[in-house]
Amino acid sequence: MSDKPAQKLWPVCGRYFSWRRKWDRDWDEVIYCSKRCRRRRNRPLDRCLEEAILQALAKRDRDTSICPSEAARLAADDCEQPWRELMSPCRDAARRLAARGTIEILQGGHPIDAHLAKGPIRLRLK
């Protein structure tokens, strides 16, 4: 086994993916974790959603949180898409921001691992 990192952060979905033996020779070239991420890639919409999350959080007190739907609604105005269609990409954007250490993802009022979040979440500045 080589000295490759055990995990890698994927640029599209913001999740961590573990090293696999079959990638021993080309771990550095592996970019996408799934066919979904390969098809989607990072789009201008993804950056727009990250900015919408930060913008919505900037309007709040430092200790308060927002629902990802608030950011999706803000971004929907700019990109002229229904906000509900932006919810999954918005959660991906939140995971990317959490991986960078910019925000925290909360469930039940407690910070959780971003890539383990299932169900309703809230977002708060770190």
Side-chain angles (χ1 to χ4, degrees):
M1 184 169 153
S2 67
D3 58 349
K4 299 294 181 189
Q7 291 187 333
K8 185 185 262 192
L9 178 70
W10 301 112
V12 176
C13 62
R15 290 188 168 103
Y16 284 98
F17 198 71
S18 298
W19 177 87
R20 292 185 182 173
R21 185 180 202 164
K22 69 179 181 177
W23 293 328
D24 190 33
R25 283 185 264 152
D26 57 355
W27 176 248
D28 294 331
E29 286 82 36
V30 175
I31 300 172
Y32 302 107
C33 63
S34 65
K35 290 179 184 177
R36 174 188 172 261
C37 286
R38 179 175 284 123
R39 278 191 311 265
R40 262 203 59 226
R41 302 181 188 241
N42 275 332
R43 305 171 291 184
L45 172 65
D46 296 320
R47 182 66 189 140
C48 179
L49 286 167
E50 290 177 14
E51 290 173 6
I53 291 170
L54 296 175
Q55 183 182 23
L57 286 168
K59 293 178 183 177
R60 300 286 183 95
D61 290 335
R62 185 98 176 131
D63 296 332
T64 58
S65 63
I66 64 162
C67 178
S69 65
E70 293 178 47
R73 290 171 203 261
L74 278 174
D77 295 337
D78 294 338
C79 64
E80 300 174 1
Q81 281 188 325
W83 70 270
R84 289 182 193 272
E85 292 178 9
L86 298 178
M87 284 303 297
S88 180
C90 190
R91 288 174 69 102
D92 292 345
R95 277 193 294 273
R96 287 191 302 273
L97 288 170
R100 287 187 217 136
T102 308
I103 66 169
E104 290 179 312
I105 296 181
L106 310 169
Q107 265 187 334
H110 304 289
I112 61 164
D113 246 349
H115 64 286
L116 298 177
K118 300 232 189 277
I121 60 171
R122 304 277 301 172
L123 311 175
R124 173 176 70 189
L125 284 175
K126 206 161 191 184

